């Protein structure tokens, strides 16, 4: 559906469970790229464009039973399509690099594995909404579910729908992310997210420098 939109811009995604450190590391990676004179757009999902932000609100607030797995997956993809069309693709076309804190692997892990909608169902929706477009590089942050959730405990915002899911959900989604990393070895790098912020950032920078920087 969509051809290769990149004209020099690279698309990097950070994926993993809640509290695994993605937001912290995305910010630091964007700072690093700026020091290398790479114009970088830092964005996140769900959200990243006005319509996508409105859908974020719909998905993440309210009763855990508000949406079923199918409805939720369609909302994530409506939001993602909006984010791609209005934010990600235009930036890449202008030659900017894009770092997204979460992208499609989150839907596969959370809805496909966590909510047990299944890999095939999510892949079908993905193919329809996104086509063959994919990140150049994906870091998958791996951390025991309990440890990640402990890090999010202090959060006071009201977007806690998934953080409220039970521990077995978070364990399924961790296995999901591990499967995704195994099945996409060229695109995905598995990150041991239990290490220090500095150690993780160093690995990210070295990987980006080796794989993507000119
Ligand atoms: P995410 O975006 O994956 O939910 P955050 O980057 O928001 O994760 O981090 C969640 C919490 O854990 C924050 O309070 C952050 O300061 C802390 N944190 C992030 N990385 C680490 C780390 N490597 N070790 C310990 N705490 C961390
Ligand atoms: P977010 O604020 O990004 O959480 P965190 O800082 O923990 O990464 O909230 C997004 C929540 O939505 C998070 O619990 C993961 C979930 N999610 C899905 O279930 N499917 C998806 O496709 C995406 C992008 C996020």
């Amino acid at each position: 559906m969509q051809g290769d939109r990149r004209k020099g811009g690279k698309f990097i995604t950070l994926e993993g469970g809640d509290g695994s450190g993605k937001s912290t590391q995305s910010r630091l990676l964007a700072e690093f790229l700026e020091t290398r004179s790479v114009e970088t757009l830092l964005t996140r999902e769900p959200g990243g464009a006005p319509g996508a932000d409105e859908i974020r609100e719909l998905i993440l607030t309210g009763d855990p039973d508000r949406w079923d797995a199918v409805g939720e997956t369609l909302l994530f993809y409506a939001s993602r399509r909006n984010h791609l069309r209005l934010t990600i693709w235009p930036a890449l076309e202008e030659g900017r690099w894009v770092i997204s804190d979460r992208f499609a692997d989150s839907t596969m892990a959370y809805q496909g594995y966590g909510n047990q909608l299944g890999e095939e169902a999510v892949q079908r929706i993905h193919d329809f909404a996104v086509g063959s477009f994919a990140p150049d590089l994906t870091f998958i942050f791996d951390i025991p579910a309990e440890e990640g959730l402990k890090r999010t405990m202090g959060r006071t915002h009201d977007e806690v729908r998934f953080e409220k899911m039970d521990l077995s959900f978070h364990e399924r989604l961790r296995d999901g992310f591990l499967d995704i990393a195994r099945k996409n070895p060229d695109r995905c790098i598995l990150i041991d997210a239990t290490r220090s912020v500095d150690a993780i950032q160093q690995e990210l920078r070295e990987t980006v420098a080796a794989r993507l920087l000119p």
Side-chain angles (χ1 to χ4, degrees):
M1 185 189 305
Q2 298 294 339
D4 193 344
R5 299 278 186 147
R6 301 172 190 82
K7 291 209 178 76
K10 301 286 183 197
F11 182 39
I12 302 171
T13 57
L14 281 73
E15 299 276 10
D18 302 80
S20 58
K22 301 175 305 299
S23 315
T24 305
Q25 296 294 338
S26 306
R27 275 193 301 274
L28 294 169
L29 189 59
E31 282 173 26
F32 167 68
L33 288 175
E34 293 288 344
T35 68
R36 294 298 192 93
S37 305
V38 175
E39 241 191 283
T40 307
L41 175 79
L42 179 57
T43 184
R44 64 148 185 200
E45 288 203 354
D53 282 330
E54 286 182 57
I55 298 172
R56 176 188 176 94
E57 181 84 15
L58 281 176
I59 301 171
L60 294 183
T61 59
D63 195 291
D65 296 326
R66 188 177 187 189
W67 311 107
D68 70 1
V70 174
E72 186 172 271
T73 303
L74 294 170
L75 285 170
F76 277 118
Y77 268 97
S79 155
R80 180 159 304 129
R81 177 82 193 173
N82 186 255
H83 186 207
L84 282 166
R85 192 170 62 84
L86 298 179
T87 302
I88 297 174
W89 284 335
L92 293 174
E93 277 171 11
E94 287 164 13
R96 282 189 288 160
W97 289 34
V98 178
I99 298 176
S100 189
D101 179 354
R102 295 195 184 281
F103 187 65
D105 296 321
S106 280
T107 316
M108 183 57 85
Y110 280 76
Q111 281 65 50
Y113 289 76
N115 281 336
Q116 296 172 304
L117 194 61
E119 202 181 334
E120 240 183 274
V122 175
Q123 191 63 48
R124 274 207 302 273
I125 297 169
H126 178 89
D127 292 345
F128 175 63
V130 175
S132 61
F133 176 82
D136 295 287
L137 181 61
T138 297
F139 293 106
I140 296 191
F141 283 58
D142 183 50
I143 190 168
E146 272 166 321
E147 209 174 312
L149 289 173
K150 231 185 276 165
R151 287 189 191 166
T152 66
M153 289 302 189
R155 287 184 182 172
T156 51
H157 59 66
D158 54 5
E159 293 175 347
V160 289
R161 229 165 74 73
F162 293 94
E163 290 163 24
K164 273 194 257 174
M165 298 288 205
D166 63 19
L167 193 61
S168 62
F169 170 89
H170 289 279
E171 279 162 356
R172 280 198 301 280
L173 90 86
R174 183 186 186 197
D175 290 342
F177 277 125
L178 292 174
D179 259 2
I180 292 167
R182 260 195 302 273
K183 287 176 182 166
N184 300 276
D186 293 340
R187 172 173 67 84
C188 296
I189 305 277
L190 194 63
I191 297 291
D192 172 2
T194 62
R195 294 172 299 154
S196 72
V197 171
D198 287 352
I200 295 168
Q201 183 58 206
Q202 194 181 332
E203 184 177 355
L204 265 52
R205 290 178 180 193
E206 282 169 3
T207 305
V208 167
R211 287 199 176 209
L212 300 181
L213 281 172

